[in-house]
Amino acid sequence: MSEVEITLREAIPVDAKEILQVSRQIAEETDFLIMDEAGLGLSEELLSLQLADLYESENNLLLVALADEKIVGMASVKAAPEFTVSHIGELGISVLKEFWGIGLGSALLDEVIYWSETVSPLARLELTVQKRNERAIHLYQKFGFETEAIMQRGARDAQGAFLDVLLMSKLIN
């Protein structure tokens, strides 16, 4: 892929349709995600309402990465509203296969960490990643995430074989 300009921004309600389409495409392109080809399981209208709420939330975030004004990747942080766990953000990153290997995951993760440290009230980011997804694990380790646990049989592949999943986290100062 030649030089490509990427723009990162927060998702807004009008992005709902494209986010659903990109999520379905990503699910078809990789077997490292929990979701399948059905994607997010939301209607465009419901996702649009959720994006409006998300945009106003102090501990939730959905970033989109755009190339030529098209969404090519996303990073989400989801935190619960309950006080006892509202300081924990669950991280998820997904990128269209065409844009793998150009540093987009690093850019998204860097922006999420910056937001977590400067804007949000979060004190912890955590994620789960399949143990066989070595590229993603390397990315998370590069940004200071540490493995806390190996969840045996934490997921299954399309053929039903059990997969180990790592629980990784990074404390936010």
Side-chain angles (χ1 to χ4, degrees):
M1 176 180 295
S2 61
E3 198 71 20
V4 66
E5 186 174 323
I6 301 289
T7 302
L8 303 180
R9 67 164 170 79
E10 285 189 62
I12 53 177
V14 295
D15 293 327
K17 181 177 182 177
E18 190 175 0
I19 287 170
L20 290 171
Q21 291 169 341
V22 170
S23 295
R24 281 190 291 272
Q25 183 177 344
I26 290 171
E28 291 173 2
E29 293 178 344
T30 182
D31 60 355
F32 288 133
L33 299 179
I34 298 298
M35 70 178 171
D36 57 17
E37 295 79 21
L40 300 175
L42 299 172
S43 69
E44 181 182 336
E45 295 76 22
L46 183 56
L47 181 57
S48 181
L49 290 172
Q50 286 184 355
L51 289 173
D53 289 342
L54 194 68
Y55 193 75
E56 298 299 322
S57 172
E58 67 176 0
N59 64 347
N60 290 277
L61 175 70
L62 179 58
L63 286 178
V64 292
L66 301 133
D68 294 325
E69 300 183 29
K70 302 275 188 221
I71 296 174
V72 299
M74 297 173 277
S76 63
V77 177
K78 185 173 192 249
E82 294 82 16
F83 174 77
T84 55
V85 290
S86 63
H87 64 284
I88 301 169
E90 183 178 351
L91 172 67
I93 295 178
S94 56
V95 175
L96 288 172
K97 193 170 196 172
E98 178 184 349
F99 292 86
W100 289 3
I102 64 166
L104 186 50
S106 290
L108 285 163
L109 188 51
D110 189 51
E111 191 65 27
V112 164
I113 291 170
Y114 177 79
W115 170 83
S116 299
E117 292 174 341
T118 61
V119 177
S120 82
L122 297 178
R124 172 186 170 93
L125 289 174
E126 63 184 28
L127 59 93
T128 56
V129 59
Q130 292 178 21
K131 189 175 179 181
R132 64 189 180 137
N133 191 349
E134 295 175 7
R135 289 177 67 184
I137 292 167
H138 176 73
L139 171 69
Y140 299 133
Q141 289 172 335
K142 182 171 83 170
F143 281 87
F145 282 78
E146 296 181 4
T147 300
E148 290 188 349
I150 298 173
M151 299 181 291
Q152 295 178 350
R153 299 183 182 185
R156 285 192 287 199
D157 67 15
Q159 292 72 41
F162 291 115
L163 303 169
D164 289 347
V165 174
L166 304 183
L167 171 61
M168 300 182 77
S169 69
K170 176 180 178 68
L171 299 182
I172 304 299
N173 299 327

